[in-house]
Amino acid sequence: MTDTAKLILGDQTIELPVIVGTEGEKAIDITNLRAKTGYITYDPGFGNTGSCKSAITFIDGEKGILRYRGVPIEQFVEHPNFIEVAWLLIFGRFPKKEELERFSALLTEYAPLHEAMKHHFEGFPVDAPPMAILSAMINTLSCFEPQFSKFEDDEAFEQAAAKLISKVRTIAAYSYRRSRGLPFMYPDPKRRYCSNFLHMMFSMPYSDYEVPAEIEDALNLVLILHADHEQNCSTSTVRMVGSSRANLFASCAAGVCALWGPLHGGANVAVIEMLEAMHKGGLTPEQCLKMAKDKDSGFRLMGFGHRVYKNFDPRARILKEQCDKVLATLGVKDPLLDIARKLEELALQDPYFVERKLYPNVDFYSGIIMRALKIPLNMFTVMFAIGRLPGWIAQWKEQHDDPTNRIARPRQIYTGPTKRDYVPMDQR
Ligand code: ACO
């Protein structure tokens, strides 16, 4: 029997259907609430609002579960392959060998940017934020690939997805090279996805950057752990923009802007800045926690807390373990890791953090791995965007293919002045 919820409004009783997901999550379907009652719901920050049905990613924030298309993320750790995960997320099933090879071949073919696009980078100031460049240049792809404003079939979609996933890393690397005044390095067709990115970042015309297998694995893993996270701020932005039938590139460019903020993807930069301040002696871990607990300070413990995870963030757990491995492989001793550990230990014993169920999130340890890979701090959120792109593409496609999709258009409760007359300038 299907459940219904009853809502009593004055002398009216409304029956509302209950929807149950495949993992047993329940939602009250209020699609017809306003039409039937004149009421809307009020849910700032959308903490109680299901904006869509989705078969891509499952999170149980209480139990610390994250699964991509049903597969627990822990199962991607041993042989991390970001491109395989991207394909799984986008197309909803495991790729066969030949499908993965074809997709990889497309990534190789599409890695170079149109030569005319290179000149766009020259127009940016050298100190332009890489996230601004990334968003602008992803949008610019719409100008160079106008055929993808509509998709005739799945093959065309696959090409568009491959172009975006491939070119985003070239754009990211070029924005870094531009900021350092270094020559652009063309992609190398002999290299795999992550190695090619590091080559475009760090090779020089006179010396090739060799990428050890462990580094390639570490980067694959970091990207996989960022690949999707259901209806977070940037993904909801991609869906919101896409709901107006804006094209894939425009929608993902908007996602980059949403991700940029320090409460979302930008937190990975803020974490390192916080740890660096402590390392330089500006702040002890104890002072840092005191500030984070003081609401008047305007400071939060960066890399801690999550809207959904209220027990632990499984991505943070994996990354914490990987930190040791990566740093040992590279022979790097990073004092920030010791500070991060100390901070986590203190916070997890502190009643303020315990009562509010605040735990380290993915950003707390990811920065330490990226530092070890020599990724500069201002590129951290760009790395997050490269990782999140398959998720955005999968979510955009799911919405695009959904015949029930309507343009996203929330309502509001108006709190401004009631009707009043215009006052001419000389009477104000
Ligand atoms: N430091 C100190 N206090 C915190 C923190 C924090 N990092 N996070 C939440 N709190 C407090 C809030 O002040 C609030 O306290 P109150 O109940 O006394 O008012 C309580 O914990 C609940 O916090 P909310 O703001 O309701 O949590 P919300 O779900 O809205 O925000 C968020 C989640 C934005 C991640 C928040 O925890 C935060 O700002 N964390 C720091 C930034 C960060 O690490 N962001 C990355 C998130 S992961 C990602 O985007 C990939």
Side-chain angles (χ1 to χ4, degrees):
M1 199 184 72
T2 333
D3 278 346
T4 53
K6 284 200 176 84
L7 177 68
I8 300 167
L9 284 169
D11 54 6
Q12 211 184 357
T13 301
I14 314 293
E15 293 224 350
L16 297 164
V18 169
I19 303 174
V20 185
T22 50
E23 292 282 351
E25 304 154 294
K26 297 190 181 76
I28 300 167
D29 180 352
I30 56 158
T31 312
N32 296 315
L33 181 67
R34 188 169 176 278
K36 280 186 179 169
T37 66
Y39 282 71
I40 60 170
T41 55
Y42 180 61
D43 185 20
F46 308 127
N48 306 284
T49 298
S51 59
C52 60
K53 291 179 189 162
S54 178
I56 300 169
T57 289
F58 173 69
I59 300 176
D60 183 329
E62 306 303 324
K63 295 190 185 134
I65 291 174
L66 170 59
R67 297 184 198 138
Y68 295 156
R69 299 283 187 184
V71 184
I73 49 154
E74 290 77 9
Q75 294 187 17
F76 298 115
V77 175
E78 203 171 337
H79 303 290
N81 182 338
F82 174 59
I83 298 309
E84 187 182 21
V85 172
W87 207 97
L88 170 70
L89 281 168
I90 296 170
F91 298 106
R93 60 182 176 82
F94 297 112
K96 296 196 179 100
K97 189 167 176 283
E98 60 278 11
E99 287 171 326
L100 193 56
E101 281 169 3
R102 189 186 65 219
F103 195 64
S104 299
L106 287 178
L107 294 176
T108 303
E109 182 186 338
Y110 296 150
L113 299 181
H114 192 292
E115 279 296 299
M117 262 186 97
K118 269 178 33 183
H119 302 299
H120 290 248
F121 289 92
E122 287 153 21
F124 291 109
V126 276
D127 55 356
M131 285 297 269
I133 300 180
L134 188 69
S135 175
M137 296 304 273
I138 289 178
N139 221 351
T140 307
L141 282 176
S142 313
C143 313
F144 288 88
E145 311 285 350
Q147 74 279 20
F148 292 133
S149 60
K150 273 204 177 120
F151 299 111
E152 299 302 331
D153 49 34
D154 269 3
E155 205 175 310
F157 182 79
E158 186 186 24
Q159 284 171 12
K163 285 217 173 183
L164 199 42
I165 291 173
S166 186
K167 288 184 192 300
V168 76
R169 106 205 113 141
T170 317
I171 292 172
Y174 278 21
S175 70
Y176 166 69
R177 305 288 293 203
R178 162 84 186 136
S179 73
R180 296 289 159 106
L182 297 169
F184 296 147
M185 294 300 298
Y186 281 97
D188 175 354
K190 292 187 289 304
R191 293 181 185 241
R192 292 158 64 90
Y193 189 85
C194 288
S195 162
N196 212 349
F197 170 69
L198 293 170
H199 152 72
M200 287 188 278
M201 288 281 289
F202 301 125
S203 282
M204 295 302 275
Y206 43 84
S207 78
D208 252 8
Y209 180 75
E210 297 296 334
V211 183
E214 294 85 354
I215 299 292
E216 219 175 320
D217 280 355
L219 187 51
N220 267 289
L221 185 63
V222 169
L223 297 181
I224 287 171
L225 294 181
H226 288 86
D228 194 50
H229 215 235
E230 49 117 306
Q231 308 311 318
N232 57 82
C233 177
S234 54
T235 303
S236 297
T237 302
V238 171
R239 278 191 178 252
M240 170 76 92
V241 175
S243 76
S244 74
R245 309 251 164 97
N247 72 57
L248 177 67
F249 301 121
S251 305
C252 290
V256 171
C257 294
L259 188 69
W260 191 356
L263 294 190
H264 192 14
N268 57 15
V269 175
V271 169
I272 296 296
E273 285 171 348
M274 180 181 80
L275 296 175
E276 271 174 349
M278 282 188 258
H279 182 52
K280 286 183 191 140
L283 202 63
T284 64
E286 288 78 5
Q287 284 170 327
C288 181
L289 290 190
K290 198 168 165 217
M291 256 168 68
K293 292 189 280 184
D294 174 6
K295 300 280 186 232
D296 296 331
S297 72
F299 174 81
R300 283 188 166 192
L301 184 58
M302 298 315 286
F304 255 72
H306 199 275
R307 172 61 61 81
V308 180
Y309 293 119
K310 300 297 175 196
N311 192 341
F312 65 92
D313 179 339
R315 304 166 300 174
R317 198 170 259 190
I318 294 173
L319 284 173
K320 186 180 178 183
E321 276 172 23
Q322 289 295 318
C323 272
D324 286 324
K325 204 174 132 191
V326 173
L327 267 57
T329 307
L330 293 171
V332 173
K333 172 95 186 77
D334 190 342
L336 298 198
L337 180 58
D338 300 330
I339 298 173
R341 285 216 184 89
K342 176 77 185 157
L343 204 52
E344 179 185 350
E345 191 191 316
L346 289 176
L348 294 184
Q349 292 165 6
D350 189 305
Y352 174 96
F353 292 90
V354 174
E355 279 157 21
R356 289 170 180 75
K357 301 190 173 182
L358 302 171
Y359 294 86
N361 59 47
V362 67
D363 294 316
F364 197 66
Y365 287 107
S366 64
I368 292 175
I369 296 193
M370 287 196 271
R371 267 163 69 91
L373 300 184
K374 302 264 185 291
I375 306 285
L377 186 60
N378 70 350
M379 289 289 290
F380 281 14
T381 318
V382 170
M383 301 304 294
F384 192 153
I386 297 175
R388 183 55 54 88
L389 199 58
W392 290 339
I393 295 171
Q395 302 269 353
W396 187 95
K397 183 177 193 302
E398 187 175 64
Q399 176 175 262
H400 178 264
D401 293 349
D402 178 358
T404 66
N405 172 49
R406 298 174 75 203
I407 187 165
R409 202 316 185 175
R411 294 271 176 172
Q412 63 164 15
I413 298 294
Y414 175 69
T415 59
T418 52
K419 183 172 179 291
R420 57 181 178 154
D421 291 325
Y422 173 79
V423 181
M425 189 68 82
D426 60 355
Q427 291 171 31
R428 287 175 209 166

